[in-house]
Amino acid sequence: LGKIRDLEKEKKSLHLDLDKYKKAFTFIVTSSHDTISNSVYGEICREISAANNEILICSPWITHILEELHDFKRDEHGKKVTIKIITRLMKEDIEKGLMDLDKFRTLKDTLGAEIRFNNDVHAKMVIIDSSVAIISSANLTKRGLYRNYEAGVRSEERRVGNECRSRWSPYH
């Protein structure tokens, strides 16, 4: 009878853990048929608007999400959210419209964004306050966020956010 009670406790504990992880990880997709709210873009926008301390962005091509950052404002106490970006900087990317230096210049000048360039970057991650990590196959371009079939995961597991941040930091 004692073993049955122990097994029931263990089963309940496993169900609680499963529920926790179901809430901690969300599978997200992008296709030309998705609505904004359940897409990679929708999740990124939602999390950027809720940022309190830091927004870290890593993507080889970034053209579309910059507008959402331009709308970012200081809170009522004047507290500034730190924005750090790692992306590529290649002449052919600029010529193809995959990079808009004027938008990055504006982000740097108006929001104090720290922008670093690394032509070996292929990862696509957005990390908010080290507590939310969005890892996706989508480049942060209109095509990557609206037209291509892309997949990713959104994690609220702080351990994942910290791990992503630590992997991201050496490149910034």
Side-chain angles (χ1 to χ4, degrees), residues 14-167:
L14 289 172
H15 279 292
L16 291 173
D17 287 346
L18 182 61
D19 288 342
K20 177 182 140 186
Y21 286 111
K22 281 181 183 177
K23 291 176 185 171
F25 294 95
T26 305
F27 183 71
I28 52 179
V29 296
T30 294
S31 76
S32 57
H33 307 295
D34 287 330
T35 62
I36 289 175
S37 65
N38 67 348
S39 66
V40 173
Y41 175 72
E43 292 296 328
I44 290 171
C45 289
R46 187 174 9 270
E47 294 305 331
I48 284 175
S49 68
N52 291 311
N53 299 308
E54 182 177 63
I55 300 169
L56 306 177
I57 298 173
C58 178
S59 180
W61 297 290
I62 306 173
T63 56
H64 190 61
I65 205 73
L66 299 176
E67 289 81 12
E68 287 68 15
L69 292 171
H70 282 297
D71 294 338
F72 203 79
K73 305 217 181 350
R74 295 172 190 246
D75 70 12
E76 62 273 7
H77 307 293
K79 182 180 172 193
K80 186 175 117 180
V81 172
T82 302
I83 300 171
K84 296 180 180 179
I85 300 170
I86 300 174
T87 189
R88 290 170 35 133
L89 180 60
M90 298 184 83
K91 182 180 177 184
E92 57 267 22
D93 292 346
I94 295 167
E95 291 168 350
K96 291 178 183 176
L98 296 171
M99 163 71 76
D100 186 338
L101 288 178
D102 290 332
K103 288 182 180 180
F104 282 103
R105 209 172 281 117
T106 302
L107 271 180
K108 185 176 185 261
D109 294 344
T110 61
L111 296 176
E114 295 178 36
I115 301 164
R116 300 283 187 269
F117 300 101
N118 181 327
N119 290 341
D120 294 326
V121 165
H122 188 71
K124 292 93 173 173
M125 299 187 298
V126 177
I127 307 157
I128 309 294
D129 298 332
S130 293
S131 61
V132 174
I134 299 169
I135 305 164
S136 167
S137 62
N139 287 304
L140 302 182
T141 62
K142 277 194 176 186
R143 186 176 185 96
L145 294 171
Y146 289 107
R147 292 196 359 223
N148 293 351
Y149 289 89
E150 306 284 357
V153 66
R154 175 186 175 279
S155 172
E156 289 184 32
E157 182 72 25
R158 186 167 275 292
R159 178 185 55 78
V160 173
N162 286 332
E163 179 71 18
C164 288
R165 189 183 195 298
S166 72
R167 299 280 179 185

